[in-house]
Amino acid sequence: MIFVTGGTGLVGSHILLRLAKEGIPFKALKREKSSLKICKNVFFYYTANELFEKINWVMGDVNDIPSLETAIQGCSKILHCAAVVSFQPAELDLMRKVNIEGTANVMNVALSKGIKKLGYISSIAALGRNSTQGIIDEECYFKATKLDSNYALSKYYAEQEVWRASEEGLDVVIINPSVILGPGDWNKGSSQIFQKIHSGLKFYTTGSTGYVDVIDVANSLVELLLSSVKNERFIVNGANL
């Protein structure tokens, strides 16, 4: 059985959909006050209403270790998708708490419970903006500068917790997606780009950035988790636009 964190978000919802469609047993972690709106809308968008009703939700929080230990019972693999995506200075402490401390908690519980393998959704931002001239690949390493966002820093430090767990014996796979687009909530994360365009853009900058469909992100992580690949990272990108 697979234990999934962040199932109420954009990527997590698509991962739950993939698992549900294939009949793969899973548990989805949910905070007591978390809204299921995004997840429900995603399932309904793909006309999988009946599958949404069958999701096995378990109450807990990545910052509540006892709840993690209870919720993870009976699982052998983990897909860790829980994260705060924000570029608001006011949410810095929350990002540190969820993205870094929460990931450390998940890794520690996974190690203590003998989890066989864990898949983690990082970000292309965790590879840094100044680690290469031109092409960014899996060999690039983060070099902090004043230009890096708090989100990028939080994902980089969260990654270090995953790699630390791999050194302690946990098999892991990490994906670093570019800007993720897909049906969800226009008011959250990378989907805000739709809201910006809908409101009207008076100009656009030069240069390019990578974009990837949320379905490809979800499929990549699930397939890597179920494969024999371990202790590697993979950039997931659809196109540079």
Side-chain angles (χ1 to χ4, degrees):
M1 183 175 287
I2 298 174
F3 182 67
V4 184
T5 71
T8 58
L10 174 64
V11 179
S13 295
H14 282 80
I15 282 176
L16 298 187
L17 180 63
R18 164 74 186 265
L19 297 177
K21 281 185 173 180
E22 295 196 8
I24 300 172
F26 67 89
K27 292 182 184 180
L29 186 70
K30 177 189 176 300
R31 287 178 293 124
E32 186 176 354
K33 295 182 180 180
S34 287
S35 170
L36 297 178
K37 182 180 178 181
I38 292 177
C39 186
K40 187 173 184 179
N41 286 346
V42 165
F43 272 67
F44 281 31
Y45 179 82
Y46 297 105
T47 62
N49 311 33
E50 71 288 348
L51 293 178
F52 175 79
E53 302 300 332
K54 297 179 180 180
I55 296 176
N56 181 16
W57 297 104
V58 289
M59 294 297 174
D61 192 307
V62 293
N63 289 118
D64 181 351
I65 293 175
S67 73
L68 282 177
E69 292 175 332
T70 299
I72 210 170
Q73 294 290 344
C75 296
S76 60
K77 294 182 175 68
I78 296 177
L79 288 170
H80 181 37
C81 313
V84 174
V85 181
S86 175
F87 299 96
Q88 302 299 323
E91 295 190 314
L92 172 58
D93 289 341
L94 178 61
M95 274 198 297
R96 286 174 174 167
K97 189 72 177 175
V98 176
N99 297 2
I100 305 173
E101 293 181 32
T103 297
N105 292 336
V106 172
M107 298 307 122
N108 291 336
V109 171
L111 287 164
S112 69
K113 294 296 183 180
I115 294 298
K116 294 179 179 179
K117 191 175 181 181
L118 178 143
Y120 175 61
I121 296 181
S122 182
S123 168
I124 198 73
L127 295 176
R129 63 172 69 234
N130 288 306
S131 58
T132 184
Q133 295 296 321
I135 300 298
I136 296 176
D137 61 25
E138 287 84 355
E139 300 303 316
C140 294
Y141 294 97
F142 192 87
K143 297 178 182 178
T145 72
K146 293 181 180 179
L147 298 175
D148 292 302
S149 67
N150 290 323
Y151 172 70
L153 287 166
S154 74
K155 296 301 282 186
Y156 169 73
Y157 287 118
E159 259 197 23
Q160 302 317 299
E161 294 294 340
V162 180
W163 291 125
R164 184 262 305 172
S166 75
E167 291 292 326
E168 295 180 19
L170 177 64
D171 289 345
V172 305
V173 284
I174 294 178
I175 61 171
N176 296 82
S178 51
V179 179
I180 303 171
L181 300 179
D185 185 346
W186 281 16
N187 298 305
K188 291 183 178 181
S190 54
S191 294
Q192 290 180 77
I193 192 171
F194 293 117
Q195 185 186 70
K196 295 289 186 183
I197 295 170
H198 182 70
S199 300
L201 289 175
K202 293 182 173 61
F203 69 93
Y204 60 88
T205 62
T206 58
S208 67
T209 193
Y211 296 91
V212 62
D213 192 302
V214 65
I215 294 175
D216 293 331
V217 176
N219 288 343
S220 296
L221 192 62
V222 171
E223 289 177 20
L224 281 169
L225 183 77
L226 300 178
S227 74
S228 60
V229 176
K230 62 181 181 180
N231 304 328
E232 292 189 49
R233 77 155 82 248
F234 297 87
I235 290 174
V236 182
N237 184 50
N240 296 322
L241 304 173

